[in-house]
Amino acid sequence: MTAQQQLQHLYWRAGFGPRPEDITQGLSPAKALRQLLREAEKCAPIESPAFHYADPLGAVMAVQPAAPAPNLAAMRPAAPTAPDELSLLAPRPALTPARKLSAPVLRRRDLTPEQRKQQNQDIQQAFAAMSTAWMERMATGPGQLREKMALFWHGHFACRTRRPDDSLQLLNTIRTKALGKFPDLLLAVSRAPAMLQFLNNQQNRKEHPNENFAREVMELFTLGRGNYSETDVKEAARAFTGWSYDGQNNFVFRERQHDAGPKTVLGHSGNLGGEDVLILIMQQPAAATFLVTKMYRFFVNDVPNPAHIAPLAAAFRKSHYDIADLAERLFSADWFYDAANVGARIKSPVELIAGLRRTLHVQVENPKPLLGYQKALGQALFMPPNVAGWPGGRNWIDSSSLLLRLQLPAILFKNAEFAVRLKDDENDIAPQTTGPQRTVRNTVGAHLPLASLQQLLGATPAAERPRQLAQFLLQAPLRPENLALVQQTVAKATTPEEQLRATLISLLSLPEYQLS
């Protein structure tokens, strides 16, 4: 594998693809990784007045800053089992006292049809603005590794609410802690109002415990099935009683609803609270293996290699679950650049669209319709299909989505049309009750500048340009028959600019472009 191929592989996996200048500046993969890590150190929150919306009574539902979460990883006095494990002996963080709502929020069932329609429209617009803003960071922002890692955690901590303010607060929490210590991220997410509401922990009270939150924390967030018992779930649910939130997006601990009795979780007994349970979970060796395996599937290969995962999990545990350290180890490993791992993953819809924009410097006049393409392809940000998130892999591809993927470049750059059936969601203004297809038309106003690509090609002869562009755009080898089809299309163009544009659109429309 050439140095350029390695560099492109790194940029696709640790970000959303290379720009032509990333290839021509002559960085080695090692230096490029250090640059990605350095650029990811800063994290500006995603915020805008467009994310605010008003309910039918006129009460503003605005995004509030997230309350700082205590540093769980720092709670590390002498541990009972190993010096690198978190300890139950650590002092518990101070909990925010419960607050009363300053104004009541009208219940959805009390709305008139007109009010419900208006509320749906306001919610939909807020989510669209948030999604567009995050996609802009992915496509054009400097902190590629942070945004890519945040996308991974966005699926790992899958959460779906009707409150844009709650969802945005959770996203910014994830983005802020995406490359920090996992215990801190876990605690902050577990205390987020969006997650507490999504997993029903506001219904988790002493004498009437709700196990949903405790179960998903163990099964999906930390340990995986087979590494805990049903008794552990039941006892952990008791520990999480009283964890709730107020109307200002603040976590609150409702002491009167908390079960203060003795509990036994994962072999440890005592008057355990929610923080104690999270600490106990992170002491389990299975946690590091579970997390590293899931990250390996996302960043390396859908098929995990135990020989690669075991040392990474040991190092992850020893580092007190330092995510940035794990990322650096993963992306600098020799096996990361093995041919079996290059061009082996199907791009998610977000990776496909953000990568298309980033690698070609695509300029967009109206980015909102791009969200419709993402939805048609099966991935709408903030709207995971269930608590397990998007399954990924081959699940991204079916007959209709593959056809749209292949025609998307023509839709964007040649004003082609495509009929597609979009799935309804609860915030749709006009649900497709009759099941007709919607026609996807290019209202994006996408412009494909050629200057950076012309610089990348330099003095390359016209006959060799399709092959050289294929080496930049495609991570999978270009089959000879597809190269011949591209050359036939290019031959119909008359000017050098038309030839270059035809080459690009033809290459972007190949099945090979769907792989990274």
Side-chain angles (χ1 to χ4, degrees), residues 67-84:
N71 187 331
L72 188 61
M75 302 175 187
R76 200 177 298 118
T81 52
D84 60 283

Side-chain angles (χ1 to χ4, degrees), residues 233-505:
V233 172
K234 294 179 184 296
E235 294 288 272
R238 293 175 56 212
F240 286 117
T241 52
W243 279 37
S244 190
Y245 54 91
D246 62 20
Q248 287 76 45
N249 275 41
N250 295 306
F251 169 83
V252 296
F253 177 67
R254 305 188 189 279
E255 188 171 2
R256 292 183 179 180
Q257 298 175 4
H258 177 66
D259 184 341
K263 312 164 190 74
T264 300
V265 179
L266 297 170
H268 292 259
S269 300
N271 179 16
L272 304 176
E275 296 89 347
D276 299 321
V277 169
L278 297 181
I279 291 171
L280 281 171
I281 287 173
M282 298 314 300
Q283 289 180 355
Q284 308 304 305
T289 301
F290 174 78
L291 292 166
V292 169
T293 300
K294 192 164 183 180
M295 197 173 293
Y296 189 97
R297 289 180 182 273
F298 185 89
F299 289 101
V300 183
N301 199 301
D302 292 331
V303 181
N305 188 326
H308 300 160
I309 289 171
L312 285 177
F316 193 36
R317 185 173 167 82
K318 187 175 181 180
S319 72
H320 303 295
Y321 298 94
D322 189 316
I323 302 168
D325 179 78
L326 173 61
E328 186 171 8
R329 291 174 184 274
L330 188 152
F331 294 128
S332 60
D334 291 339
W335 46 256
F336 175 71
Y337 297 98
D338 285 349
N341 295 325
V342 178
R345 290 188 67 254
I346 298 172
K347 296 173 185 173
S348 71
V350 167
E351 291 171 317
L352 177 68
I353 293 174
L356 185 67
R357 291 183 59 191
R358 183 171 185 83
T359 56
L360 299 177
H361 292 294
V362 174
Q363 299 167 5
V364 175
E365 295 176 5
N366 178 21
K368 188 175 179 180
L370 293 174
L371 303 180
Y373 303 156
Q374 287 173 223
K375 182 178 179 181
L377 293 173
Q379 189 179 30
L381 294 173
F382 302 102
M383 301 295 168
N386 51 54
V387 70
W390 295 277
R394 294 185 178 274
N395 294 284
W396 290 127
I397 299 293
D398 59 28
S399 57
S400 62
S401 65
L402 178 58
L403 190 57
L404 176 56
R405 280 170 172 261
L406 298 180
Q407 293 197 12
L408 186 59
I411 294 171
L412 291 176
F413 305 123
K414 295 174 66 176
N415 293 319
E417 294 185 353
F418 184 86
V420 62
R421 167 76 172 135
L422 295 179
K423 295 180 180 179
D424 298 331
D425 65 42
E426 60 182 329
N427 295 327
D428 270 342
I429 307 304
Q432 302 174 76
T433 53
T434 59
Q437 290 183 324
R438 297 180 185 177
T439 300
V440 175
R441 296 182 178 88
N442 179 19
T443 59
V444 174
H447 302 280
L448 184 59
L450 302 177
S452 61
L453 288 168
Q454 289 169 334
Q455 186 175 0
L456 176 68
L457 290 169
T460 303
E464 289 298 316
R465 289 192 165 196
R467 194 186 307 273
Q468 185 167 342
L469 278 176
Q471 291 176 353
F472 170 67
L473 292 173
L474 308 179
Q475 290 299 96
L478 177 60
R479 290 174 291 176
E481 59 270 27
N482 283 342
L483 176 60
L485 290 174
V486 172
Q487 291 171 331
Q488 290 175 13
T489 301
V490 174
K492 300 175 183 178
T494 55
T495 68
E497 181 175 320
E498 290 176 352
Q499 290 174 349
L500 179 55
R501 190 176 298 274
T503 303
L504 282 172
I505 296 175

Side-chain angles (χ1 to χ4, degrees), residues 32-105:
L33 176 56
R34 287 195 293 271
Q35 180 173 295
L36 285 168
L37 287 164
R38 186 168 57 253
E39 291 174 344
E41 291 175 356
K42 296 180 180 180
C43 181
I46 295 175
E47 293 178 348
S48 168
F51 307 156
H52 296 204
Y53 73 100
D55 71 18
L57 291 184
V60 175
M61 312 286 283
V63 176
Q64 300 293 332
N71 187 331
L72 188 61
M75 302 175 187
R76 200 177 298 118
T81 52
D84 60 283
E85 291 182 339
L86 306 178
S87 174
L88 278 175
L89 302 178
R92 294 188 186 180
L95 299 178
T96 306
R99 298 182 184 179
K100 294 183 179 180
L101 292 174
S102 57
V105 177

